[in-house]
Amino acid sequence: MTMLKVANCPNCGKVFQKNLRNLCQDCIDQVHDDFDRCEAYLRGNRKASTEELSGATGISVKRIAEFIVSNRLPVAYYPGLTYPCNSCGSPIKQHYLCSACRVRIVNDIQKMNQQEAKRKERGIGFQIRDRLSR
């Protein structure tokens, strides 16, 4: 006996049989239609920006960003397309963070590591002194 695994579609809320995309068939078809409209518009307007594409096709910038991140709309072929940085929202063409946010996060991590190292040095020193005085 096989049990069907069902879930509610995160887009529309319908109950559907679980699949790899985690969407109901209607929403999968909608995503395909949206992608086809984007691709058709970009064939004639290869250098269009994300906002122009959204305005011309009626597809949300968020959905277009999903297509870019998943490389369905490669930035190498469509140089005007961008999507927002996950931290500050500035337009980027690759990765999840802009270079300024990446540098800031790396610096923050380095500072935290240095502070942790200092804390450990102080803590170990006090423990040794305490043990020696007993």
Side-chain angles (χ1 to χ4, degrees):
M1 180 182 343
T2 306
M3 283 186 51
L4 293 177
K5 293 182 181 178
V6 294
N8 287 6
C9 179
N11 283 348
C12 66
K14 287 185 195 173
V15 175
F16 71 102
Q17 185 177 351
K18 287 197 98 162
N19 55 39
L20 292 175
R21 293 199 175 116
N22 200 30
L23 296 172
C24 70
Q25 191 58 47
D26 293 338
C27 289
I28 290 172
D29 293 341
Q30 183 63 46
V31 170
H32 286 303
D33 290 343
D34 290 351
F35 177 73
D36 291 341
R37 284 192 315 204
C38 286
E39 198 172 43
Y41 181 80
L42 288 171
R43 275 190 217 119
N45 303 290
R46 194 173 77 81
K47 294 184 178 182
S49 70
T50 305
E51 290 76 20
E52 290 173 18
L53 178 60
S54 177
T57 60
I59 299 166
S60 70
V61 173
K62 183 179 177 183
R63 172 79 45 97
I64 294 170
E66 290 171 7
F67 293 149
I68 298 168
V69 170
S70 66
N71 208 29
R72 289 183 75 184
L73 293 176
V75 178
Y77 299 140
Y78 308 112
L81 297 180
T82 59
Y83 56 95
C85 168
N86 282 355
S87 180
C88 68
S90 65
I92 56 175
K93 292 182 178 266
Q94 60 184 0
H95 307 297
Y96 293 98
L97 299 171
C98 65
S99 58
C101 289
R102 280 195 308 256
V103 167
R104 178 180 48 81
I105 289 172
V106 166
N107 287 339
D108 290 348
I109 290 171
Q110 288 175 345
K111 286 179 187 175
M112 288 172 49
N113 285 338
Q114 289 172 354
Q115 289 172 350
E116 186 67 24
K118 286 180 184 177
R119 224 178 275 133
K120 285 182 179 178
E121 287 176 14
R122 284 186 293 211
I124 291 171
F126 290 130
Q127 290 173 357
I128 291 173
R129 285 185 206 144
D130 290 341
R131 288 183 194 153
L132 292 176
S133 63
R134 289 183 186 171

